[in-house]
Amino acid sequence: THTTLYREAHVSYINSCNSNKEDFAYWVTEHLRISGFYWGLSALALLGRLDDTDRTSILEFAASCRTACGGYGGNRGHDAHLLYTLSAIQVYFLCEAEDRLDVDAILTWVKSLQHEDGSFSGDEWGEIDTRFSYIAISIVHLLKRPDAINLQAAVDYVGRCQNFDGGFGVNPGSESHAGQTFCCVGALAIADRLDVITDPDALGWWLCERQLPAGGLNGRPEKLPDVCYSWWVVSSLSILGRLDWISGEKLQEFILACQDSEGGIADRPGDVVDVYHTFFGIGGLSMTGYPDLVAVDPAFAMPCPLLKRIGLLTHARSDPYFKTTKQA
């Protein structure tokens, strides 16, 4: 049984991710570098080690990802996309530099990506996905401008993506998936519209069925467990007040078994680590009450002390963990 979190090793691993330019992983993740900073900084924040970073160079990089349209690309010279724009905004907040954001330019661009049915494209090329609905709703609330988009239409569109089994898909009629379910439940929580979920028990049941005998969670029926679903599933259950519908102890054992003793967490035991699974693994540990981790907000996927600082730690928590966890 694995019970120990290799905290110092994880801190060292995260801080090395952007400097090890001889590593293959550095180059194949070039297109999402700004998201890598969000995952890394957030993991360090949950470990209570955010001060171990060079915020000046991180902010210089984030600024270099801004494009003429007001959005941000995943790296310097890349096209703007909602995914990377949210990551950039989160990086600015994590570095306590959100006053440097051009809020009006960002919101004008985000608004331009909304369609008449309430859905959002991720960029100028037009792909529609409930991930982008979550991102747009998150952005306008982080920037304290929910009226910048047609929020009612966005909420209605998300509601139409719920399926007969309780889960949510990429768009109306698409297969239920735990990642999309988080996006939809998180978006509704941020918008304070969880009333749109017609049968929370059906959704809770679909989510808790994602736990497998080894303790890990999968994203769809008949799939292997993956550490990242420690976030997508657990955050959704936490928002719904049904976190005790799975075994947090068994999940923690699975996450800890996916660690590398030299730092980092992989998708499953024995695989190669990456910063994405490291953050979502630590996030899953925090939400299930692993000791001495900073609390994380299940809707915004950001540290609770940060959201408290900016006045956004407002969502009611009904599950046992959030009743007892110190939020700052």
Side-chain angles (χ1 to χ4, degrees):
T1 302
H2 296 81
T3 58
T4 301
L5 179 64
Y6 304 134
R7 298 170 186 270
E8 291 304 319
H10 295 326
V11 171
S12 297
Y13 164 72
I14 293 164
N15 282 323
S16 72
C17 284
N18 197 50
S19 59
N20 190 4
K21 298 183 180 180
E22 298 301 315
D23 187 58
F24 176 71
Y26 177 88
W27 295 106
V28 296
T29 58
E30 177 187 15
H31 64 291
L32 47 70
R33 183 79 67 235
I34 192 68
S35 293
F37 277 112
Y38 156 65
W39 298 323
L41 288 171
S42 297
L44 290 172
L46 299 189
L47 291 166
R49 298 289 293 275
L50 192 54
D51 290 339
D52 289 14
T53 58
D54 179 1
R55 299 189 189 194
T56 300
S57 64
I58 291 170
L59 289 168
E60 286 174 356
F61 174 78
S64 74
C65 294
R66 188 180 172 211
T67 68
C69 71
Y72 288 76
N75 208 322
R76 296 183 180 95
H78 290 219
D79 292 343
H81 195 288
L82 273 177
L83 284 166
Y84 307 124
T85 301
L86 176 58
S87 290
I89 291 168
Q90 289 166 320
V91 165
Y92 276 95
F93 274 98
L94 285 158
C95 292
E96 299 185 24
E98 62 268 20
D99 58 330
R100 303 187 193 182
L101 292 166
D102 188 338
V103 172
D104 289 337
I106 293 170
L107 294 176
T108 298
W109 179 68
V110 171
K111 181 183 172 103
S112 75
L113 297 172
Q114 188 171 23
H115 300 279
E116 285 189 14
D117 65 355
S119 65
F120 283 85
S121 294
D123 58 17
E124 63 179 302
W125 309 112
E127 180 190 9
I128 295 172
D129 188 318
T130 43
R131 288 179 301 161
F132 310 146
S133 297
Y134 167 80
I135 288 167
I137 290 171
S138 184
I139 286 174
V140 299
H141 282 81
L142 282 170
L143 299 181
K144 307 290 184 68
R145 293 275 296 279
D147 58 341
I149 60 172
N150 186 337
L151 187 59
Q152 182 61 55
V155 166
D156 290 343
Y157 179 79
V158 168
R160 293 196 296 275
C161 295
Q162 187 168 22
N163 293 317
F164 70 93
D165 57 10
F168 289 81
V170 171
N171 44 46
S174 293
E175 177 187 14
S176 294
H177 187 282
Q180 306 300 145
T181 296
F182 159 76
C183 290
C184 294
V185 173
L188 294 173
I190 290 169
D192 197 20
R193 288 299 311 278
L194 287 173
D195 60 289
V196 170
I197 299 173
T198 54
D199 191 344
D201 282 344
L203 174 53
W205 184 249
W206 186 86
L207 287 164
C208 76
E209 284 186 319
R210 306 278 62 79
Q211 188 161 41
L212 300 174
L217 300 157
N218 64 17
R220 292 176 288 166
E222 304 301 321
K223 296 293 185 179
L224 293 173
D226 185 320
V227 158
C228 71
Y229 295 109
S230 306
W231 178 264
W232 312 122
V233 173
V234 174
S235 58
S236 300
L237 286 170
S238 178
I239 290 167
L240 294 170
R242 289 159 174 79
L243 191 52
D244 57 349
W245 286 24
I246 62 168
S247 170
E249 182 180 352
K250 291 286 290 182
L251 177 60
Q252 288 181 6
E253 290 178 7
F254 176 79
I255 296 170
L256 295 171
C258 295
Q259 297 179 103
D260 188 311
S261 60
E262 295 181 4
I265 300 175
D267 57 348
R268 52 187 67 94
D271 286 355
V272 176
V273 304
D274 60 70
V275 70
Y276 168 88
H277 288 93
T278 300
F279 167 50
F280 288 123
I282 294 171
L285 292 172
S286 173
M287 279 193 293
T288 53
Y290 191 87
D292 300 320
L293 290 175
V294 172
V296 61
D297 185 272
F300 282 103
M302 298 174 76
C304 287
L306 186 162
L307 292 170
K308 185 176 182 180
R309 172 175 68 81
I310 62 175
L312 282 178
L313 194 65
T314 57
H315 306 298
R317 310 295 184 212
S318 57
D319 60 83
Y321 170 50
F322 269 93
K323 283 182 179 175
T324 58
T325 300
K326 189 165 67 173
Q327 299 291 296

